[in-house]
Amino acid sequence: MLYRKMPKTGDELSILGFGCMRLPMAEGTIDEPRAIAQIRSAIDAGVNYMDTAWPYVNGQSEPLLGRALKDGYRERVKVATKLPTWLQHSRADMDRYLDAQLQRLGTDHIDYYLVHSLDGPSWDRVAALGIGDFLDQAKADGRIVNAGFSFHGLAEDFTRIVDAYPWDFCQIQYNYLDQQFQAGTNGLNYAASKGLGVIVMEPLRGGNLGLPTAPPAVADIWNAATIKRTPVEWALRWIWNHPEVTVVLSGMNEEAHIEQNLAIAAEAAANSLSDAELELVDRAGRTYKELMQVGCTGCGYCMPCPMGVQIPKCFDFYNKMHMFGNIAEAKFMYAAFGSGITGNDEPGFASQCVACGECLEKCPQHIPIPDILTKVAAEMEGPGFQEQVDGIREHFKKGLS
Ligand code: SF4
Ligand code: SF4
């Protein structure tokens, strides 16, 4: 296992972090003996950063991680969890949730505490509720050690949030397809320039970059490489090649995935890929992008839409469905993020577009936005869609009474 230093604290963190968002399941609940064995074996192999969150696995992830870290494992790792931003309605709520999370995790402190899934509007909302004061106080009384945030918004909001509080670290979606999406490479470099450690999530874009069903044109690129590596290894090594990245989170719920990721993490030093190898990965990225239905860069200039349509998000999940063929996953993510549950709590689906045309002239890519949104609505919002949205909302809304 290789380790990298968290810039502000000097903590030596394993470059591979254990993500507890997807754990092995049996009969609708976590397969606890298997999950605990997986977590402990990863720690025994050198992983020392464990990431969970309030809503993961229907609220079961934090308590499970707490149990997995008994018998001396807690002292060997740094624990990261996240304040459920969308459930905060007052300054007092923040203390209530943190205290409940400490209890769920069976610990007296969270090493890395994140404000979960920020974008511009959700940041403005929790900032007005006093999140800065909450984080200051939780650090001062020792309940949290490092304060950070995870991010799923527009690039310009990322830099604004980085500058708005003396964060220790942040967590961004980053992979070779998302170099200009959300925080992107600019955001990674900006955060690092401000001394923040950067945790990377979605290194395989929800697993899609490692699917054996990769489009033939992409598979041909990997097959033609002089050094033979799996698509997963290429994707992970590309991220770790960036010295600005501290930890990459991988949701590993199969023993084989854990073994595979551990082996890669033992070798993936920063700046270790050659120019030819970087060009190969870029070529795979360009090939994936040719399969995109919409050339949306996620810049957000078309926003806000008067009808609340989350235009870039709609296009992202629509593209995802066509690029990876993982239809169920893309539709689920569209329903979840489009519902607004992790943001301003307002739905932003393609079907809300009334074709007013207000966004058209703002798009530097000259995308016929309302026309494409009609296609998105037709393909992503079929029968059963509203029931799916309702189910997701119910799941995320499970909070303290
Ligand atoms: S055309 Fe549709 S997406 Fe564009 S601003 Fe009007 S309602 Fe919003
Ligand atoms: S302005 Fe155009 S490219 Fe930018 S997010 Fe909107 S649709 Fe995408």
Side-chain angles (χ1 to χ4, degrees), residues 332 385-397:
F332 175 82
F385 178 69
Q386 193 52 51
E387 289 76 11
Q388 185 178 28
V389 172
D390 292 344
I392 291 167
R393 290 185 62 82
E394 194 185 321
H395 168 82
F396 268 78
K397 283 284 182 189

Side-chain angles (χ1 to χ4, degrees), residues 8-299:
K8 286 203 179 174
T9 62
D11 284 346
E12 293 281 348
L13 300 180
S14 55
I15 63 170
L16 177 66
F18 199 107
C20 299
M21 186 165 80
R22 298 182 184 94
L23 293 167
M25 305 293 286
E27 295 171 11
T29 188
I30 296 173
D31 181 342
E32 181 148 342
R34 189 173 166 208
I36 290 179
Q38 288 181 351
I39 289 169
R40 292 184 174 184
S41 72
I43 296 170
D44 290 338
V47 172
N48 68 2
Y49 188 91
M50 312 302 296
D51 174 83
T52 182
W54 178 270
Y56 288 175
V57 201
N58 209 9
Q60 298 177 55
S61 175
E62 286 180 329
L64 180 283
L65 180 60
R67 292 192 289 277
L69 295 181
K70 287 186 187 300
D71 303 327
Y73 281 87
R74 173 67 184 92
E75 291 71 29
R76 295 166 61 182
V77 298
K78 303 295 182 190
V79 169
T81 193
K82 312 182 186 81
L83 180 75
T85 313
W86 55 94
L87 295 174
Q88 307 309 304
H89 303 293
S90 68
R91 167 70 181 76
D93 279 348
M94 300 170 191
D95 284 308
R96 290 171 59 232
Y97 274 90
L98 172 54
D99 291 344
Q101 289 175 294
L102 289 167
Q103 206 166 25
R104 279 177 166 204
L105 282 156
T107 185
D108 62 358
H109 69 280
I110 310 287
D111 302 283
Y112 288 86
Y113 196 60
L114 302 97
V115 186
H116 198 169
S117 193
L118 287 181
D119 60 9
S122 56
W123 167 249
D124 291 338
R125 199 175 67 75
V126 289
L129 291 176
I131 191 86
D133 175 67
F134 161 69
L135 294 171
D136 287 347
Q137 207 172 328
K139 280 177 91 165
D141 63 32
R143 286 176 298 163
I144 70 173
V145 182
N146 298 289
F149 67 96
S150 65
F151 184 76
H152 281 293
L154 302 174
E156 69 216 34
D157 287 324
F158 180 74
T159 48
R160 185 165 72 85
I161 296 169
V162 167
D163 289 341
Y165 182 80
W167 305 104
D168 299 297
F169 72 111
C170 62
Q171 183 170 315
I172 61 171
Q173 171 169 332
Y174 195 55
N175 54 66
Y176 67 81
L177 277 188
D178 286 329
Q179 298 181 57
Q180 272 87 43
F181 185 68
Q182 295 186 1
T185 304
N186 288 342
L188 169 67
N189 293 337
Y190 188 75
S193 76
K194 297 283 175 179
L196 274 67
V198 181
I199 313 295
V200 165
M201 60 183 153
E202 299 290 357
L204 304 176
R205 265 220 173 196
N208 285 311
L209 295 178
L211 288 178
T213 52
V218 176
D220 288 348
I221 292 171
W222 302 138
N223 290 336
T226 320
I227 303 177
K228 298 297 175 214
R229 292 181 174 134
T230 64
V232 169
E233 182 167 5
W234 282 114
L236 292 178
R237 288 191 78 128
W238 181 88
I239 301 170
W240 279 317
N241 200 55
H242 296 74
E244 299 83 5
V245 170
T246 314
V247 172
V248 174
L249 295 176
S250 184
M252 304 178 282
N253 56 8
E254 295 282 339
E255 288 73 9
H257 295 163
I258 299 173
E259 289 293 318
Q260 184 183 33
N261 289 350
L262 286 169
I264 303 167
E267 293 181 354
N271 298 317
S272 61
L273 293 184
S274 68
D275 288 348
E277 289 172 317
L278 290 171
E279 163 53 24
L280 188 84
V281 180
D282 272 353
R283 200 141 37 93
R286 289 197 298 275
T287 306
Y288 267 121
K289 285 191 173 158
E290 282 163 14
L291 299 170
M292 279 183 168
Q293 299 295 296
V294 199
C296 173
T297 62
C299 69

Side-chain angles (χ1 to χ4, degrees), residues 295-303 311-312 315 362-365 367 369:
C296 173
T297 62
C299 69
Y301 295 149
C302 54
M303 300 283 285
I311 302 168
F315 290 162
K362 297 187 202 157
C363 177
Q365 309 300 322
I367 294 168
I369 295 173

